[in-house]
Amino acid sequence: SSRPKVTENDVWQAIYRDEFFLDYQPQVSLRDGAWEGVEALVRWRHPKLGVLFPSAFIDIVERNGNLASDLIAQVIKKSAEDIQKCGHGLGRYRTVSINVSPIGLTDLSFPELVDSVVSQYNLEKRRIRFEVTETSIAEDPTVLMDILTRLRLKGYTLSIDDFGTGHATFENLRELPLDEIKIDTNFVRAGLRDPVAKIIAERTVALGHDLHLVVIAEGIEDVDSWCWLRDLHCDYGQGYYIARPMPPKMLAAWARKWRTPSI
């Protein structure tokens, strides 16, 4: 299906009219199934086109630094409001992971922007985890390193997303102030039938642990994948087998029903 056509101006209008909202996908421990956190996923309730996913608008946002900064500020603000509103649904749990666009990581004022939003809501910084994609590392590693180091010094935690799909070298990984590494969905989904994907997933877990990083797998869609990753000692998982992304008010009900596989 072709993507709906939206313009830069439409996205500005949407921020102004407060049309963006967040769904959350739970992340759980593969060891014992304990619920550890959520990933915040941005959606746009478009007045004519219905709900749009990031694939419909993220390219536009990536081309404009101010737009990227405004959207990330909006996402942090929304997640802060959701944490406050949803009490037990989000409140007691460890982290909310927020994706940061590569262009946001070229703006040296980004850590201050984040701080100003977070302090308005009195959130604990260690509960906010920023996910950067591996591709953003290649762009300008020195500026990126500066921004990430400042975020880390302020007390936020940092994750590298889509690992294995870009050009991050072992050297990059060693130097970046990361807390977490995410195994890309494609390797997780293919891992049980494609030997290359399997090796990449296995090596990523080993590499992450050698660097003292938490390792999380996304795209866990069945019990076999869960068991394989658990037996690899991957730390956390997310994916449809655990839960689909959902509105914040549904998280508490999901948590009551969630059962760890007993195999």
Side-chain angles (χ1 to χ4, degrees):
S1 68
S2 62
R3 287 184 186 171
K5 285 279 173 277
V6 294
T7 64
E8 193 174 290
N9 192 43
D10 293 336
V11 183
W12 281 118
Q13 291 286 336
I15 292 175
Y16 178 69
R17 294 191 187 128
D18 198 20
E19 289 168 358
F20 287 101
F21 67 98
L22 300 175
D23 278 341
Y24 293 89
Q25 188 168 36
Q27 300 170 328
V28 300
S29 162
L30 292 176
R31 199 184 66 251
D32 60 9
W35 180 21
E36 292 291 338
V38 289
E39 181 178 357
L41 298 157
V42 66
R43 313 284 186 241
W44 175 0
R45 196 173 280 106
H46 191 287
K48 295 197 185 70
L49 300 169
V51 172
L52 300 181
F53 291 89
S55 57
F57 55 85
I58 213 70
D59 290 351
I60 293 170
V61 173
E62 306 280 73
R63 287 198 293 272
N64 181 321
N66 294 334
L67 196 51
S69 293
D70 276 19
L71 185 58
I72 189 80
Q74 186 92 331
V75 168
I76 298 166
K77 185 167 144 297
K78 294 267 170 222
S79 57
E81 287 167 357
D82 289 341
I83 288 172
Q84 287 187 337
K85 273 201 298 254
C86 289
H88 294 321
L90 280 168
R92 290 186 300 220
Y93 294 98
R94 204 181 58 153
T95 50
V96 176
S97 294
I98 293 172
N99 296 285
V100 185
S101 92
I103 197 162
L105 294 166
T106 53
D107 174 5
L108 287 168
S109 63
F110 180 70
E112 278 60 51
L113 167 83
V114 169
D115 252 5
S116 67
V117 180
V118 168
S119 59
Q120 271 171 36
Y121 288 90
N122 206 7
L123 284 183
E124 286 178 85
K125 294 180 183 182
R126 67 190 171 83
R127 295 190 42 209
I128 306 272
R129 172 164 295 163
F130 290 110
E131 288 190 10
V132 301
T133 55
E134 192 184 345
T135 33
S136 56
I137 293 173
E139 301 293 302
D140 186 350
T142 41
V143 174
L144 177 75
M145 184 70 96
D146 185 355
I147 293 170
L148 293 182
T149 305
R150 287 184 14 224
L151 285 168
R152 186 72 189 283
L153 288 170
K154 286 172 179 294
Y156 301 101
T157 56
L158 302 171
S159 173
I160 183 166
D161 196 8
D162 302 341
F163 186 70
T165 57
H167 305 287
T169 61
F170 182 74
E171 203 53 34
N172 284 138
L173 261 192
R174 217 175 44 126
E175 289 177 4
L176 290 167
L178 297 170
D179 301 275
E180 178 184 88
I181 185 169
K182 281 188 112 170
I183 308 173
D184 184 63
T185 300
N186 295 323
F187 303 126
V188 173
R189 283 188 186 148
L192 290 174
R193 40 165 219 280
D194 173 354
V196 176
K198 188 167 193 274
I199 289 168
I200 291 172
E202 288 168 358
R203 294 283 159 85
T204 304
V205 175
L207 174 64
H209 288 161
D210 286 348
L211 294 170
H212 308 293
L213 301 175
V214 166
V215 184
I216 180 167
E218 46 189 353
I220 298 177
E221 294 187 347
D222 52 45
V223 72
D224 294 343
S225 303
W226 170 288
C227 294
W228 163 55
L229 289 154
R230 180 198 59 198
D231 295 346
L232 280 183
H233 304 293
C234 181
D235 302 295
Y236 299 113
Q238 71 184 94
Y240 285 1
Y241 176 69
I242 299 154
R244 289 176 178 257
M246 65 186 86
K249 61 176 184 291
M250 289 171 65
L251 286 164
W254 163 80
R256 284 194 296 275
K257 289 206 294 273
W258 160 244
R259 293 285 173 275
T260 316
S262 54
I263 38 177

